[in-house]
Amino acid sequence: MINLKKILVMFLFSISFIIFSTIGNAHAATDDSTSLIPKMSSDNSPSGKAIGIYDWSKPYLAFDGVPHYYIDGAFHAWGTSSTTGWIGYEFNEPKVLNKYVLYYGESQSSNPGLLSTVPNSWTFEGSNDGENWIELDKVSNFTSWKNGENAFEIDSRASYTHFRINVTKNNGSVSNQVNLTIHELELWGYDAADKPNPEPKPDPEPMPDQNRAILVITLVNGVQKEYDLSREEVNSFISWYDSTNGEKSYSINRTNKNKGPFKTRKDYFVHDKILMYEVSEY
């Protein structure tokens, strides 16, 4: 005899496996962000260019793959004697970032006050010419540095060739030989050509005729009449009103509001019965 209960359980298990497998694959497909900067051995090698101001160590040391200030007898961080400054990276092709990562690495340096030299306040910026910069992120009074990775998300999905961190305040050091340091900086994202397609925007609604206006006529008894007219029709009414006295009437065709089998329907106005009128162009 066929065990229907067993068959039903196996069927439900198979459906559940297919559903969860599909969800997992869909999630993995969207997680395409990668670290974009290669391990730099100089400001221009192996590719791209490390950029920034320096008077103590070159910018590429913030991209050399070593998240420490000083270790194994060598310096591995960008630093300057100033309390402010900036460094960044220039790509050969436009990139889209979704986060940047600053590393703080406890080191073997004789200087125990490294936390006083890390950034405290800064803007993270993008540019396509290295001169005009767009703010992508802003951080103020950041003091909760962790040993290792400190990640900051970027909401903008615009593409740029240049990115930089522009430090406006360090964490307190003022009298050391080096007062501002960045141990390691990573930029995460993807090539602009691989940028995920945004959801299509609906077609904009057609713009109304720019030569039309709403004419509202208020009668002396308080009744208001409203008409959607061409600018030419409105001008004709205004010309009649400004040049007419007495009881001579003026007709306005309201064909667009016809109800019934009529070729035309018109409202007739007597000049003396009009209290005021209003014109609203659109």
Side-chain angles (χ1 to χ4, degrees):
M1 179 181 292
I2 299 175
N3 191 329
L4 294 178
K5 182 177 181 180
K6 183 176 181 180
I7 292 175
L8 178 60
V9 170
M10 293 179 65
F11 175 76
L12 292 175
F13 176 80
S14 300
I15 293 296
S16 299
F17 177 79
I18 292 172
I19 292 174
F20 283 106
S21 297
T22 303
I23 293 174
N25 290 337
H27 176 74
T30 60
D31 189 15
D32 58 355
S33 175
T34 58
S35 181
L36 298 174
I37 301 178
K39 184 177 179 180
M40 300 294 286
S41 56
S42 72
D43 282 349
N44 298 285
S45 181
S47 65
K49 182 179 180 181
I51 56 177
I53 65 168
Y54 65 90
D55 56 18
W56 182 253
S57 58
K58 291 189 174 183
Y60 85 90
L61 289 174
F63 308 103
D64 65 353
V66 182
H68 296 276
Y69 176 72
Y70 181 91
I71 194 168
D72 295 333
F75 289 98
H76 288 278
W78 168 81
T80 176
S81 59
S82 176
T83 58
T84 62
W86 66 271
I87 63 163
Y89 192 84
E90 178 183 342
F91 291 98
N92 295 327
E93 300 293 337
K95 306 292 181 181
V96 178
L97 300 191
N98 60 1
K99 72 175 180 179
Y100 61 99
V101 180
L102 291 168
Y103 284 85
Y104 171 74
E106 294 180 354
S107 71
Q108 301 167 351
S109 170
S110 59
N111 179 7
L114 286 178
L115 273 174
S116 67
T117 68
V118 294
N120 172 278
S121 302
W122 65 86
T123 54
F124 187 83
E125 303 165 350
S127 172
N128 282 314
D129 58 12
E131 296 182 3
N132 299 290
W133 295 90
I134 304 298
E135 181 179 300
L136 305 178
D137 187 38
K138 185 174 184 178
V139 178
S140 300
N141 298 318
F142 183 78
T143 57
S144 55
W145 284 88
K146 297 182 296 184
N147 186 38
E149 177 180 316
N150 299 266
F152 303 87
E153 294 186 358
I154 298 174
D155 293 330
S156 172
R157 291 297 178 266
S159 60
Y160 299 98
T161 53
H162 299 63
F163 296 92
R164 74 177 183 180
I165 178 171
N166 188 12
V167 182
T168 55
K169 179 183 177 183
N170 72 353
N171 217 25
S173 177
V174 294
S175 58
N176 290 309
Q177 193 171 21
V178 177
N179 291 303
L180 176 62
T181 62
I182 291 180
H183 299 180
E184 191 74 9
L185 172 60
E186 289 180 348
L187 306 183
W188 285 70
Y190 35 84
D191 291 340
D194 299 329
K195 180 179 178 181
N197 293 325
E199 294 184 3
K201 295 182 179 180
D203 293 334
E205 295 183 0
M207 293 293 290
D209 187 345
Q210 298 299 309
N211 293 317
R212 299 189 69 80
I214 300 297
L215 172 65
V216 178
I217 301 174
T218 303
L219 304 179
V220 292
N221 62 1
V223 174
Q224 284 191 332
K225 297 286 187 175
E226 181 177 308
Y227 304 92
D228 185 347
L229 304 174
S230 69
R231 196 66 181 88
E232 182 180 357
E233 290 173 310
V234 172
N235 289 337
S236 176
F237 170 81
I238 294 174
S239 178
W240 166 80
Y241 184 85
D242 289 344
S243 62
T244 303
N245 292 308
E247 296 184 356
K248 184 177 179 180
S249 63
Y250 184 88
S251 65
I252 295 180
N253 189 359
R254 52 191 180 103
T255 304
N256 60 334
K257 295 184 179 180
N258 280 345
K259 290 183 180 180
F262 308 113
K263 292 183 178 180
T264 63
R265 295 184 71 184
K266 296 183 179 181
D267 289 340
Y268 288 84
F269 294 93
V270 176
H271 191 280
D272 291 347
K273 302 301 181 182
I274 297 174
L275 177 64
M276 61 175 292
Y277 67 87
E278 177 184 334
V279 177
S280 300
E281 297 182 18
Y282 69 90

